[in-house]
Amino acid sequence: MRFLPALAATVLLSTPILAHAAGPESQTASGHADILVKSDHSWNGVAYQHYPTTPPQLTVLRLTIPPHTALPWHVHPSPNAGYVLAGQLTIQDRATGKQQTFHTGEAFTESVNDPHRGVSGDEQTVVILTYSGTKGTPTSVPLKGEKSEY
């Protein structure tokens, strides 16, 4: 019976060591990446130009748009990409009238300095937007007479 406490102590003391030894090995696997969008031009076919020579500043926004809402006409001074988390977003180009609808789970690239707006569908739309700008540069600029996009 004296060996039971010794056996229990050995098991208790060795368990964290064994768990720790197995931990890092089981955590060395790489993640899986799906490219959602990769492009050198915006959704409407306009090619992106070179970046400014100043240091970059990335901004990530979660934009929630009520159902049946047209955002104000605006431009983006820097490249950005979006991902529709919920609902749908129709992007309309003001100059050409061209438009394209993106649904939940779809990614898109936005235009730079081309007036456009987003329009939600029958349900609330939630979009993640990632801007690749520079310090002091706004992510969105409303056209004259329009309200801010957000």
Side-chain angles (χ1 to χ4, degrees):
M1 289 296 211
R2 290 170 80 184
F3 93 100
L4 283 178
L7 178 62
T10 302
V11 169
L12 289 174
L13 290 174
S14 63
T15 301
I17 293 169
L18 292 175
H20 179 69
E25 291 172 337
S26 64
Q27 299 297 319
T28 59
S30 297
H32 172 78
D34 291 317
I35 295 175
L36 301 176
V37 66
K38 184 177 186 178
S39 183
D40 61 358
H41 61 278
S42 65
W43 70 273
N44 60 359
V46 177
Y48 291 130
Q49 302 302 312
H50 62 83
Y51 280 108
T53 56
T54 56
Q57 182 177 51
L58 301 178
T59 303
V60 179
L61 300 174
R62 178 184 172 128
L63 180 62
T64 302
I65 309 165
H68 305 288
T69 299
L71 296 174
W73 293 102
H74 61 277
V75 298
H76 300 290
S78 18
N80 70 88
Y83 179 80
V84 182
L85 284 177
Q88 69 179 42
L89 182 70
T90 300
I91 301 177
Q92 301 173 333
D93 185 275
R94 187 171 182 180
T96 65
K98 183 177 179 179
Q99 65 180 25
Q100 187 169 347
T101 301
F102 300 92
H103 301 274
T104 300
E106 293 183 320
F108 56 92
T109 53
E110 286 207 68
S111 57
V112 176
N113 294 321
D114 288 332
H116 66 282
R117 69 178 179 183
V119 179
S120 62
D122 293 335
E123 57 188 67
Q124 175 177 281
T125 298
V126 180
V127 182
I128 298 293
L129 299 166
T130 302
Y131 295 88
S132 180
T134 58
K135 187 175 183 178
T137 302
T139 56
S140 179
V141 178
L143 296 187
K144 186 175 180 177
E146 294 280 335
K147 293 180 180 182
S148 178
E149 177 186 18
Y150 41 79

